[in-house]
Amino acid sequence: MTDIVYLNGDLVAKDSAKISVLDRGFLFADGVYEVIPVYNSTPFRLKQHLSRLNACLMQLDIANPHSAIEWKNIIATLIQRNGGGHLAIYLQVTRGVSKERNHLLDANMTPTVLLMASKLTVAEQNIQSITATLLNDIRWLHCDIKSIALLGNIMLSNKARQSGHDEAILHRDGLVTEGAASNVFMVKHRELFTPPQNQLILGGITRDVIIELAEASGLKVHQQDIHIDQLLSADEVWISSSAREISPIRQIDDKIIGSGIIGPVASVLHSEFQAFKKTLIN
Ligand SMILES: Cc1ncc(COP(=O)(O)O)c(C=O)c1O
């Protein structure tokens, strides 16, 4: 039962929600989004998701249509109206509806706000390993903005799927950036490595949680460039995202990673992640 969406102040059935053909999100992908995991009806790291949303809106010069407390209330209502439990809240803000299709902006546009809920399946699963393929990062140079313009990511995800893999791990000139819909971590000699947070990757909320948990448990964390050769010879590799939490990679293309089973560091951090979630939602 996740049929109720929030659109510009109204709670309506998904099937009857309508936006204008002149919405700049529809015409130009002129907008940003968030995916907020909800465990036992409680949003996880909401403050951080709202702060990233605000930062991305600022980068696009779109006025944030709601205060933090207003967002919280909208999200709480949506969770309740969609039956609660473990959900993923999709939140999208576009620049709004223009008078005509024109690259240039109209003054004083009212942003379009859409929120939807779907089941968060990962919350009920045990840790599972997946496979990945290495692909050239063909995207633009502002991957730090959580833009709804996801054509590059879509092409890469589907290319991975077509070659039988669960995720694409992307690189620019041999340096790993991130997954098509995730951040990337590797372990070598019990130290953790992840590419630095810059304009070439999205600063993942899950990435931050993993870094915090790893540092708290005494692991050395390096946020630095990773060459694909280092990735392929790592002891462990995993991806992280709100939708997938921590997903260990057992194989990248033909190369088995480590011993091909879920590694000890991924296992421990996954358990810590589950425990951390529970402390916040109970
Ligand atoms: C390209 C990309 N990088 C990283 C992430 C991980 O971000 P988060 O942990 O905030 O979900 C995502 C999530 O969808 C993503 O699409």
Side-chain angles (χ1 to χ4, degrees):
M1 194 192 64
T2 49
D3 293 340
I4 303 294
V5 306
Y6 173 98
L7 182 60
N8 296 330
D10 296 323
L11 287 158
V12 287
K14 208 180 271 172
D15 291 349
S16 53
K18 294 200 171 32
I19 61 148
S20 163
V21 293
L22 286 173
D23 192 281
R24 289 182 63 92
F26 177 67
L27 290 176
F28 299 116
D30 186 355
V32 297
Y33 76 106
E34 280 294 325
V35 176
I36 304 159
V38 171
Y39 301 109
N40 278 342
S41 305
T42 306
F44 182 66
R45 290 250 151 164
L46 182 57
K47 193 168 142 233
Q48 289 82 350
H49 280 279
L50 292 179
S51 141
R52 182 173 66 186
L53 172 71
N54 195 50
C56 290
L57 287 169
M58 274 173 73
Q59 290 219 64
L60 298 187
D61 213 6
I62 297 176
N64 192 333
H66 293 296
S67 65
I69 191 74
E70 287 168 351
W71 283 121
K72 273 183 201 163
N73 289 338
I74 294 168
I75 291 166
T77 307
L78 194 74
I79 292 170
Q80 191 243 326
R81 290 293 303 272
N82 282 284
H86 304 318
L87 298 171
I89 300 294
Y90 177 83
L91 182 167
Q92 172 174 310
V93 180
T94 75
R95 197 179 300 275
V97 180
S98 23
K99 293 193 186 70
E100 56 181 17
R101 186 187 176 280
N102 188 339
H103 287 202
L104 299 176
L105 305 178
D106 296 340
N108 303 323
M109 296 186 63
T110 306
T112 300
V113 177
L114 167 70
L115 286 90
M116 306 188 282
S118 59
K119 289 282 167 215
L120 185 65
T121 46
V122 72
E124 275 145 15
Q125 288 166 359
N126 290 328
I127 186 168
Q128 282 172 9
S129 70
I130 61 172
T131 72
T133 182
L134 275 173
L135 293 175
N136 246 321
D137 196 338
I138 55 167
R139 303 170 304 159
W140 70 330
L141 297 176
H142 250 305
C143 300
D144 55 323
I145 301 176
K146 202 161 168 59
S147 159
I148 58 172
L150 288 173
L151 205 46
N153 306 61
I154 288 168
M155 289 169 73
L156 292 159
S157 293
N158 282 282
K159 203 163 175 189
R161 169 73 63 82
Q162 280 154 17
S163 59
H165 296 285
D166 305 293
E167 176 62 309
I169 294 182
L170 313 178
H171 66 93
R172 291 187 196 262
D173 299 325
L175 294 182
V176 177
T177 51
E178 59 180 345
S182 59
N183 292 115
V184 176
F185 286 85
M186 63 165 255
V187 176
K188 190 74 183 176
H189 305 316
R190 294 198 64 80
E191 296 193 356
L192 195 52
F193 297 80
T194 192
Q197 193 172 320
N198 55 30
Q199 293 184 359
L200 300 183
I201 70 164
L202 181 73
I205 306 297
T206 323
R207 175 183 181 274
D208 288 345
V209 175
I210 291 169
I211 292 171
E212 281 171 34
L213 291 176
E215 284 177 340
S217 63
L219 274 180
K220 207 161 188 170
V221 181
H222 307 271
Q223 299 188 48
Q224 65 179 55
D225 285 341
I226 299 174
H227 193 273
I228 51 177
D229 292 341
Q230 293 171 294
L231 190 78
L232 293 174
S233 61
D235 302 327
E236 300 182 34
V237 175
W238 67 76
I239 54 156
S240 70
S241 73
S242 297
R244 284 172 135 163
E245 297 184 348
I246 297 174
S247 291
I249 310 276
R250 62 176 181 277
Q251 187 172 340
I252 301 177
D253 294 313
D254 295 335
K255 177 79 175 62
I256 302 288
I257 300 302
S259 46
I261 54 168
I262 296 171
V265 181
S267 292
V268 167
L269 283 175
H270 182 267
S271 304
E272 287 186 4
F273 193 85
Q274 304 311 312
F276 180 62
K277 271 165 33 180
K278 290 208 175 91
T279 62
L280 297 180
I281 59 183
N282 287 332

